[in-house]
Amino acid sequence: MTLNVDVAYVMVDRLFGAMNLATLLSDALLMTGLFFLGRAAMKAGEYRPRMVRAAVGRPALIIALVGTTTTFFLIDRGTTTTTFMIDLGGQPWAAAYSIFGFTYCGIVLGAMLALAIRQFRIGRGVQRVPASLLVIGSTSGISLSAAVLIMDLAHLTGNLRLMRSVGSAYGSLSLLAFLFLCAGFAGQPVVRNLQDRSRRARTTEMLQRLDPLWHRAVRVRPGLSPARTAGSSDGDPEGHLHREIVEIRDAMFDPRVAFVVTGAEQTLLEQAERHLLGSEAGGAHAPVASARQSPGEEEQT
């Protein structure tokens, strides 16, 4: 993308003898970058259909790089030009060069679009925001690739009016693809971080609300857990919440002790269980540890 800046392109191309070799370098880097982005998007989830694996596989990249490199050296390139395809796109080998590169980019972006749509469907709430951005970015990139292919064929056949008409969308589509793909990939860790903070705060709140019930449970059934001092849950609040739920449930089911919970306390306990299971939004739920544990299992919990 940086080599699309005219000043940068001219400077780099001079290092290679001013024969437009910087064009091949920039396109090869772009294709390779999309390859790694596509593989990263695929490996981030379990949804990996065969067509997606093929699109972001090494054989597809190798074929595309070999095709673009071979056709590039068959072009009568002349000296450095910042309008490579406008000046040389009328040559069959120049059109083939561009078609090889942008067809590959379109295929990889198509795979990323399929993955982003899948991520959007299974996501909830704010999780859908990065997926939406990736859908827009991938769609823009596919549209850009299609526009370039039309421009290549129009130039090759001498239909310059069509080439200029479609070319007017090139800059906008390129910018949209770049911005939305970057925003989508950058947004995923941001959303995960916000969700982790929100969950940790919710866990801390649950601990505070469940503490009185837990203290009652360990008073009637002592020896289960060492006293928890203030702030001791900072390292692993979910582990402490799980332990409290287990010990409350054990006290409830132990016939040797008299431990009765109110309806409100039962509701709170079930809310805490659903929170640990990640299903507070509703639906069926099961207690985290309602089954009676043996002393050995309690020690391992």
Side-chain angles (χ1 to χ4, degrees):
M1 298 299 294
T2 303
L3 289 177
N4 280 337
V5 179
D6 289 352
V7 175
Y9 178 84
V10 171
M11 290 177 59
V12 172
D13 197 54
R14 286 174 180 172
L15 299 176
F16 291 98
M19 295 183 295
N20 289 305
L21 287 172
T23 295
L24 178 61
L25 174 63
S26 64
D27 289 340
L29 287 173
L30 177 62
M31 293 161 63
T32 306
L34 283 175
F35 164 78
F36 282 110
L37 280 179
R39 290 185 69 83
M42 180 185 71
K43 291 184 177 182
E46 297 179 357
Y47 180 65
R48 303 176 183 181
R50 181 178 300 177
M51 292 299 293
V52 170
R53 295 199 306 270
V56 298
R58 291 185 182 88
L61 175 66
I62 293 172
I63 291 172
L65 288 175
V66 170
T68 53
T69 303
T70 301
T71 52
F72 179 82
F73 285 104
L74 295 174
I75 301 171
D76 183 10
R77 301 184 305 276
T79 57
T80 299
T81 173
T82 56
T83 53
F84 186 82
M85 288 304 299
I86 293 177
D87 295 342
L88 308 174
Q91 299 181 41
W93 289 118
Y97 165 78
S98 179
I99 289 171
F100 256 112
F102 277 93
T103 297
Y104 176 76
C105 292
I107 290 173
V108 174
L109 289 167
M112 291 171 60
L113 176 61
L115 295 170
I117 291 174
R118 167 72 174 181
Q119 184 181 3
F120 180 85
R121 287 176 176 174
I122 66 176
R124 293 292 182 272
V126 72
Q127 292 176 339
R128 288 185 164 184
V129 174
S132 301
L133 296 174
L134 289 175
V135 168
I136 297 173
S138 299
T139 303
S140 300
I142 294 170
S143 301
L144 173 65
S145 298
V148 171
L149 297 182
I150 294 173
M151 291 165 61
D152 291 335
L153 295 175
H155 199 170
L156 190 61
T157 57
N159 192 343
L160 300 184
R161 179 178 297 178
L162 175 61
M163 183 190 77
R164 295 190 183 96
S165 176
V166 176
S168 61
Y170 179 91
S172 299
L173 289 173
S174 180
L175 183 62
L176 287 173
F178 181 77
L179 291 179
F180 279 98
L181 285 175
C182 288
F185 279 109
Q188 290 175 328
V190 172
V191 167
R192 283 196 297 269
N193 183 267
L194 292 175
Q195 288 181 317
D196 289 344
R197 290 187 177 187
S198 175
R199 181 172 176 83
R200 189 178 182 89
R202 178 65 172 158
T203 302
T204 302
E205 178 194 356
M206 283 289 183
L207 275 170
Q208 293 172 349
R209 295 173 62 192
L210 203 63
D211 263 354
L213 181 60
W214 173 72
H215 281 296
R216 282 178 49 210
V218 296
R219 277 199 301 269
V220 299
R221 195 168 183 265
L224 293 176
S225 177
R228 179 162 60 84
T229 59
S232 65
S233 64
D234 292 346
D236 183 18
E238 292 203 10
H240 282 286
L241 181 60
H242 178 268
R243 185 64 184 178
E244 286 194 5
I245 292 171
V246 168
E247 293 177 352
I248 292 169
R249 286 291 186 186
D250 282 341
M252 291 171 61
F253 298 138
D254 192 340
R256 299 170 299 175
V257 300
F259 181 70
V260 180
V261 299
T262 66
E265 290 172 335
Q266 177 70 26
T267 299
L268 174 61
L269 185 61
E270 291 174 354
Q271 287 177 348
E273 289 170 342
R274 291 198 300 272
H275 169 71
L276 286 182
L277 292 170
S279 57
E280 283 190 287
H285 54 83
V288 169
S290 60
R292 184 77 175 88
Q293 291 178 304
S294 67
E297 288 173 325
E298 289 173 356
E299 291 301 322
Q300 295 171 6
T301 302

